[in-house]
mmCIF file of all heavy atoms in Angstrom:
data_model
loop_
_atom_site.group_PDB
_atom_site.id
_atom_site.type_symbol
_atom_site.label_atom_id
_atom_site.label_comp_id
_atom_site.label_asym_id
_atom_site.label_seq_id
_atom_site.Cartn_x
_atom_site.Cartn_y
_atom_site.Cartn_z
ATOM 1 N N GLU L 182 44.809 37.935 -28.649
ATOM 2 C CA GLU L 182 44.450 36.627 -29.180
ATOM 3 C C GLU L 182 43.100 36.128 -28.671
ATOM 4 O O GLU L 182 42.222 35.799 -29.432
ATOM 5 C CB GLU L 182 45.549 35.603 -28.812
ATOM 6 C CG GLU L 182 46.862 35.830 -29.550
ATOM 7 C CD GLU L 182 46.729 35.631 -31.060
ATOM 8 O OE1 GLU L 182 45.875 34.828 -31.477
ATOM 9 O OE2 GLU L 182 47.464 36.291 -31.815
ATOM 10 N N SER L 183 42.940 36.053 -27.365
ATOM 11 C CA SER L 183 41.739 35.431 -26.787
ATOM 12 C C SER L 183 41.125 36.330 -25.722
ATOM 13 O O SER L 183 41.396 36.168 -24.521
ATOM 14 C CB SER L 183 42.093 34.073 -26.180
ATOM 15 O OG SER L 183 42.637 33.214 -27.144
ATOM 16 N N PRO L 184 40.295 37.305 -26.129
ATOM 17 C CA PRO L 184 39.643 38.153 -25.128
ATOM 18 C C PRO L 184 38.742 37.322 -24.214
ATOM 19 O O PRO L 184 38.210 36.281 -24.609
ATOM 20 C CB PRO L 184 38.812 39.131 -25.974
ATOM 21 C CG PRO L 184 39.443 39.103 -27.324
ATOM 22 C CD PRO L 184 39.960 37.722 -27.490
ATOM 23 N N ARG L 185 38.590 37.811 -23.007
ATOM 24 C CA ARG L 185 37.759 37.119 -22.026
ATOM 25 C C ARG L 185 36.282 37.351 -22.332
ATOM 26 O O ARG L 185 35.872 38.477 -22.612
ATOM 27 C CB ARG L 185 38.092 37.657 -20.635
ATOM 28 C CG ARG L 185 37.376 36.992 -19.481
ATOM 29 C CD ARG L 185 37.886 37.594 -18.191
ATOM 30 N NE ARG L 185 37.219 37.031 -17.026
ATOM 31 C CZ ARG L 185 37.455 37.435 -15.778
ATOM 32 N NH1 ARG L 185 38.352 38.387 -15.554
ATOM 33 N NH2 ARG L 185 36.817 36.883 -14.774
ATOM 34 N N GLY L 186 35.473 36.297 -22.311
ATOM 35 C CA GLY L 186 34.043 36.435 -22.544
ATOM 36 C C GLY L 186 33.308 36.803 -21.268
ATOM 37 O O GLY L 186 33.463 36.139 -20.236
ATOM 38 N N LEU L 187 32.522 37.888 -21.316
ATOM 39 C CA LEU L 187 31.783 38.367 -20.146
ATOM 40 C C LEU L 187 30.351 38.665 -20.534
ATOM 41 O O LEU L 187 30.084 39.138 -21.645
ATOM 42 C CB LEU L 187 32.412 39.655 -19.588
ATOM 43 C CG LEU L 187 33.664 39.548 -18.721
ATOM 44 C CD1 LEU L 187 34.141 40.954 -18.378
ATOM 45 C CD2 LEU L 187 33.387 38.775 -17.455
ATOM 46 N N ASP L 188 29.404 38.404 -19.633
ATOM 47 C CA ASP L 188 28.038 38.860 -19.842
ATOM 48 C C ASP L 188 28.026 40.384 -19.833
ATOM 49 O O ASP L 188 28.697 41.019 -19.011
ATOM 50 C CB ASP L 188 27.130 38.326 -18.728
ATOM 51 C CG ASP L 188 25.680 38.678 -18.974
ATOM 52 O OD1 ASP L 188 24.973 37.912 -19.642
ATOM 53 O OD2 ASP L 188 25.260 39.744 -18.478
ATOM 54 N N HIS L 189 27.236 40.960 -20.747
ATOM 55 C CA HIS L 189 27.226 42.420 -20.878
ATOM 56 C C HIS L 189 26.840 43.108 -19.575
ATOM 57 O O HIS L 189 27.379 44.161 -19.228
ATOM 58 C CB HIS L 189 26.257 42.838 -21.990
ATOM 59 C CG HIS L 189 26.289 44.305 -22.298
ATOM 60 N ND1 HIS L 189 27.294 44.881 -23.042
ATOM 61 C CD2 HIS L 189 25.449 45.312 -21.945
ATOM 62 C CE1 HIS L 189 27.075 46.180 -23.153
ATOM 63 N NE2 HIS L 189 25.963 46.470 -22.495
ATOM 64 N N GLY L 190 25.934 42.507 -18.824
ATOM 65 C CA GLY L 190 25.492 43.126 -17.581
ATOM 66 C C GLY L 190 26.542 43.135 -16.502
ATOM 67 O O GLY L 190 26.466 43.921 -15.547
ATOM 68 N N LEU L 191 27.566 42.269 -16.604
ATOM 69 C CA LEU L 191 28.611 42.185 -15.584
ATOM 70 C C LEU L 191 29.893 42.913 -15.989
ATOM 71 O O LEU L 191 30.780 43.088 -15.164
ATOM 72 C CB LEU L 191 28.941 40.710 -15.303
ATOM 73 C CG LEU L 191 27.771 39.815 -14.869
ATOM 74 C CD1 LEU L 191 28.255 38.379 -14.708
ATOM 75 C CD2 LEU L 191 27.163 40.321 -13.584
ATOM 76 N N ALA L 192 29.978 43.311 -17.253
ATOM 77 C CA ALA L 192 31.241 43.854 -17.763
ATOM 78 C C ALA L 192 31.638 45.148 -17.057
ATOM 79 O O ALA L 192 32.825 45.386 -16.794
ATOM 80 C CB ALA L 192 31.133 44.081 -19.268
ATOM 81 N N TYR L 193 30.665 46.013 -16.761
ATOM 82 C CA TYR L 193 31.002 47.299 -16.141
ATOM 83 C C TYR L 193 31.627 47.103 -14.768
ATOM 84 O O TYR L 193 32.600 47.779 -14.407
ATOM 85 C CB TYR L 193 29.753 48.171 -16.042
ATOM 86 C CG TYR L 193 29.317 48.736 -17.370
ATOM 87 C CD1 TYR L 193 28.313 48.124 -18.109
ATOM 88 C CD2 TYR L 193 29.924 49.869 -17.893
ATOM 89 C CE1 TYR L 193 27.909 48.640 -19.332
ATOM 90 C CE2 TYR L 193 29.525 50.395 -19.116
ATOM 91 C CZ TYR L 193 28.529 49.780 -19.832
ATOM 92 O OH TYR L 193 28.143 50.286 -21.050
ATOM 93 N N GLU L 194 31.087 46.183 -13.983
ATOM 94 C CA GLU L 194 31.644 45.944 -12.660
ATOM 95 C C GLU L 194 33.040 45.331 -12.755
ATOM 96 O O GLU L 194 33.927 45.659 -11.979
ATOM 97 C CB GLU L 194 30.714 45.028 -11.855
ATOM 98 C CG GLU L 194 29.495 45.718 -11.262
ATOM 99 C CD GLU L 194 28.545 46.264 -12.315
ATOM 100 O OE1 GLU L 194 28.432 45.648 -13.394
ATOM 101 O OE2 GLU L 194 27.922 47.315 -12.070
ATOM 102 N N ALA L 195 33.221 44.421 -13.727
ATOM 103 C CA ALA L 195 34.547 43.834 -13.924
ATOM 104 C C ALA L 195 35.561 44.911 -14.298
ATOM 105 O O ALA L 195 36.714 44.897 -13.843
ATOM 106 C CB ALA L 195 34.484 42.759 -15.006
#
Side-chain angles (χ1 to χ4, degrees):
E182 290 295 331
S183 301
R185 183 177 178 183
L187 281 176
D188 185 89
H189 186 77
L191 303 177
Y193 286 98
E194 282 64 33

